[in-house]
Amino acid sequence: FRKLGHEVLPLIAGGTEKTKKCKNIRTGPSIKKHLRKTFPAVFWETMKDIALLWFDKSMEKLLLKQIEKFKPDLIYERGNYLQLSGCNAAKKMRIKHIIEINAPYSEERGAMQGKSFFSSKSLRVKKKQMELTEKIVVVSSALKKYFLEKQLVDGEKIIVIPNAIKEGEIKTNEKEIEKIKIKYNLSGQIVIGFVGSIFS
């Protein structure tokens, strides 16, 4: 957006400060660890979701204040599980809104961390995100197909922009590349690199 000449105000939920880790501190047995054995996983996932819903409410207030000051024409939001603050703030302030969705969050959360009492609510939240926003940006045609089949979203509303970088921005060190080729016997081989996480 900046390269296109627009003024951008980034607003990162949770802030950008890194937490300081204390070293060489010994702690006794965690109470939480014992409680985890007592209560089922669904209880802990529900508690996490309650905290997330409260956080979303506080983010909406912060967003509304920032909109009053900055007066943007558009909110471009990276969507998340159980988060409606961006969509709600945009609707209240009558601002255009685009949401980027990188995964089917509700299903992903349930599969990776477990179900909560808010699992069905999360599906309604996802549906509402898609209804309130003007455009939905997804990272693959498979994700677009998924949302069309499961959410009954208008296909015209979804834009597919695959994750990528500009080739001209890649800086390479030919000497290091040659060392790696020799080390792993890669001369004449096609090598595909990936940075990220793969899970099913």
Side-chain angles (χ1 to χ4, degrees):
F1 288 126
R2 284 195 178 114
K3 282 182 181 176
L4 291 169
H6 300 290
E7 193 180 350
V8 179
L9 174 69
L11 185 61
I12 301 166
T16 57
E17 290 294 314
K18 289 183 179 178
T19 55
K20 293 178 182 177
K21 290 183 179 178
C22 300
K23 294 180 180 178
N24 302 320
I25 295 176
R26 292 184 180 181
T27 55
S30 169
I31 294 170
K32 196 173 179 180
K33 201 173 180 181
H34 291 301
L35 288 172
R36 278 193 180 279
K37 292 176 184 177
T38 311
F39 294 97
V42 69
F43 169 81
W44 296 107
E45 295 310 317
T46 299
M47 295 306 288
K48 279 192 232 172
D49 284 359
I50 289 169
L52 201 56
L53 288 163
W54 276 103
F55 179 71
D56 193 45
K57 288 287 179 192
S58 64
M59 277 308 298
E60 187 176 327
K61 289 175 188 174
L62 178 61
L63 267 169
L64 291 168
K65 284 179 186 175
Q66 291 296 331
I67 290 166
E68 295 242 350
K69 287 181 192 173
F70 189 64
K71 303 197 184 314
D73 300 303
L74 166 75
I75 292 175
Y76 184 95
E77 178 185 10
R78 172 110 183 227
N80 211 340
Y81 172 78
L82 276 180
Q83 304 292 278
L84 273 174
S85 49
C87 298
N88 285 339
K91 188 182 177 185
K92 283 177 184 175
M93 302 302 278
R94 297 181 182 178
I95 295 169
K96 290 191 177 190
H97 181 274
I98 296 173
I99 193 163
E100 177 188 326
I101 298 180
N102 290 279
Y105 299 120
S106 302
E107 294 84 344
E108 181 185 71
R109 174 73 154 59
M112 293 187 73
Q113 292 175 258
K115 297 279 183 185
S116 103
F117 289 125
F118 291 96
S119 293
S120 58
K121 180 182 173 71
S122 73
L123 293 169
R124 294 194 300 273
V125 166
K126 185 171 61 175
K127 178 80 173 165
K128 199 169 180 186
Q129 280 177 334
M130 294 182 167
E131 287 171 356
L132 290 175
T133 195
E134 313 223 6
K135 291 286 178 186
I136 302 156
V137 176
V138 295
V139 293
S140 70
S141 54
L143 194 55
K144 176 178 179 175
K145 186 183 174 188
Y146 175 86
F147 287 134
L148 289 174
E149 288 174 356
K150 300 283 183 181
Q151 300 296 323
L152 305 175
V153 182
D154 178 8
E156 295 295 312
K157 204 172 189 179
I158 302 178
I159 304 164
V160 180
I161 304 177
N163 287 331
I165 62 166
K166 289 183 181 175
E167 228 178 313
E169 292 179 4
I170 302 170
K171 292 179 182 178
T172 57
N173 183 323
E174 292 302 322
K175 286 181 181 177
E176 287 300 315
I177 289 169
E178 282 307 312
K179 281 182 191 176
I180 292 166
K181 280 183 180 179
I182 292 164
K183 185 178 178 181
Y184 296 102
N185 194 25
L186 297 173
S187 295
Q189 302 293 318
I190 294 171
V191 180
I192 298 170
F194 174 78
V195 178
S197 303
I198 298 176
F199 53 86
S200 59

